[in-house]
Amino acid sequence: MANAEREQWSTSFGFVAAAVGSAVGLGNMWRFSYLTAEKGGAAFVGLYLIFTLLVGLPILLAEMTIGRGASRSPVLALEHYGGRSWRLLGVLFVLTGFLILSYYSVIAGWTLRYAGELLWHGVPLNPGDHFSQVSQGWPAFLFHVSFMALTMAIVAGGVKRGIERVSVIAMPVLFVFVCGLALYAATLSGSEAGYAYYLNANFTNALSMDVVVSAAGQSFFSLSLGMGAMLTFASYLSRQSDLPREAIRIAAADFGVAFVAGLMVFPIVFALGVEGDVSESTLGALFVALPEAFSSMGLVGRFVGVIFFVALIVGALTSAISLLEVVVSAAVDGWAWSRGRAVIVAGGLITLIGSFAAWDLALLDAMDQVANNILLLLGALLLSVFVGWVMKNAETELAQGAGRLNWVGVWRFLLRWWVPIVLLFVLFHSVPKTLSNVRNLVFGLD
Ligand code: TRP
């Protein structure tokens, strides 16, 4: 490909905003809270933080190093450094992107609907019934299609004029909203029980393999790792950028938003006495418990609810953009398609696959588990082996633009040994478990 024509971010903040936009999304608010509730509070959060620092950060740097070094889409970037057979890993990335975006967009569609409903008619009378009505079937499908249309419109605008322009506005707004909601939650009487639940560790829980696997999966999902999203975004960086500095900013912002989202969700849920809904902790917990809480706050609740769901939409949209961009950049670089054509074909297919998830919540759950507990972990494992063992000049490439780094040796060592061993261990436990969960979900066996 003619690299001279390749677009680049216009500022370093533009890249960080887009990458944080990719990282911060439904994963930080919806998935993080429901997993924390299900897996036992602070012990899960602690494990998730450990995975983020010791496994997530090295992989994030690995993706950024390959992406910026090759300035190509994932498939061609891997081929560039590793030869033809490594293209297959790029193909796995693109397929994972398809799978994740197709169900992610269905959930994002729910948030779109909820924000609109709260704005026009207020909180539904019975949030539980309401959720089961709108989360599946035609209503879910229509909002899924609208959300995909929005995502496609932005990606069609290109890197600078689409993705970057939206991210530099959306991310600050999201930060302000989430922090504002957390502060508001602190003023509610009875919120202490929420903090106690969220921040008190129950370590017997954290020792189960199931919790370890979920914490690992969540750290990848939340940082958008294991399928080339960060690789693709880094491919639009200039060679002067300081990768370690940007990576730390991205990881800090991502963990920060998840943590603050917990400081908002749990106090609200406990102060208004709807924790029963959350501890049942299905996919829909937040979509039932929070509206229930909002409804007992009257008009304020309606206002708070709109802010909450708008924050979710903003987060989901900037994440969806990055998922679609992986697929689009692969078609643009690999087959010399125009961006518009790639957006229409890829977006159309994803919308189609997502329709199945829109009609069947169990299928949606199964797709989420396969993507997170198998595909992202596998992608990250192969990626760390690639940068640890195959890529020749990884250290120099990482240090380019960052000055002398005396810990690059440690980074390479982590990617060679520590990360693959941890991931193999996690996969060993998660593959059989996930496959049996999926069988139960999809075929309804017990
Ligand atoms: N990180 C996003 C979230 O937390 C989701 C996401 C966007 C993602 N791009 C990704 C997950 C790539 C895995 C891989 O909501």
Side-chain angles (χ1 to χ4, degrees), residues 118-197:
L118 281 171
L119 198 60
W120 308 131
H121 348 272
V123 188
L125 279 181
N126 184 336
D129 289 349
H130 184 70
F131 178 74
S132 34
Q133 277 159 21
V134 304
S135 61
Q136 294 179 73
W138 282 105
F141 173 72
L142 292 177
F143 281 89
H144 156 63
V145 172
S146 323
F147 183 82
M148 277 306 298
L150 224 56
T151 307
M152 288 162 67
I154 297 171
V155 174
V159 174
K160 255 191 254 186
R161 285 183 36 249
I163 301 175
E164 181 172 350
R165 210 164 53 168
V166 168
S167 305
V168 294
I169 299 168
M171 281 303 106
V173 169
L174 186 138
F175 273 100
V176 170
F177 279 14
V178 174
C179 292
L181 289 170
L183 288 176
Y184 169 74
T187 67
L188 297 170
S189 70
S191 54
E192 306 77 25
Y195 296 114
Y197 178 80

Side-chain angles (χ1 to χ4, degrees), residues 318-330:
T318 50
S319 298
I321 292 172
S322 73
L323 287 160
L324 185 56
E325 180 63 24
V326 171
V327 182
V328 165
S329 77

Side-chain angles (χ1 to χ4, degrees), residues 337-390:
W337 283 16
S338 73
R339 179 168 276 273
R341 176 169 176 204
V343 166
I344 289 173
V345 174
L349 273 173
I350 290 169
T351 309
L352 189 72
I353 302 172
S355 331
F356 296 101
W359 254 280
D360 186 350
L361 218 50
L363 182 64
L364 190 156
D365 197 347
M367 287 161 83
D368 182 55
Q369 295 201 26
V370 170
N372 288 284
N373 301 343
I374 300 181
L375 297 177
L376 292 182
L377 298 174
L378 186 66
L381 169 67
L382 295 172
L383 202 84
S384 79
V385 169
F386 183 80
V387 176
W389 298 95
V390 179

Side-chain angles (χ1 to χ4, degrees), residues 21-107:
S22 167
V24 170
L26 296 173
N28 301 60
M29 293 181 255
W30 158 76
R31 204 167 187 281
F32 173 77
S33 327
Y34 112 76
L35 281 176
T36 302
E38 183 177 270
K39 312 290 176 189
F44 171 80
V45 181
L47 266 177
Y48 158 64
L49 179 60
I50 294 173
F51 270 108
T52 300
L53 292 175
L54 290 182
V55 187
L57 209 49
I59 297 271
L60 175 58
L61 283 170
E63 285 208 16
M64 290 170 72
T65 304
I66 302 175
R68 187 192 55 180
S71 340
R72 288 167 170 85
S73 75
V75 181
L76 296 182
L78 288 163
E79 180 178 17
H80 175 73
Y81 283 117
R84 274 193 80 80
S85 47
W86 282 94
R87 288 176 72 125
L88 281 178
L89 179 56
V91 174
L92 174 72
F93 286 168
V94 173
L95 293 178
T96 308
F98 261 93
L99 182 71
I100 296 184
L101 185 52
S102 37
Y103 74 82
Y104 196 85
S105 161
V106 175
I107 303 167

Side-chain angles (χ1 to χ4, degrees), residues 2-8 71-73 232 235-236 329 333:
N3 276 338
E5 291 168 20
R6 197 176 173 80
E7 270 197 274
Q8 284 196 348
S71 340
R72 288 167 170 85
S73 75
T232 306
S235 75
Y236 306 119
S329 77
D333 285 2

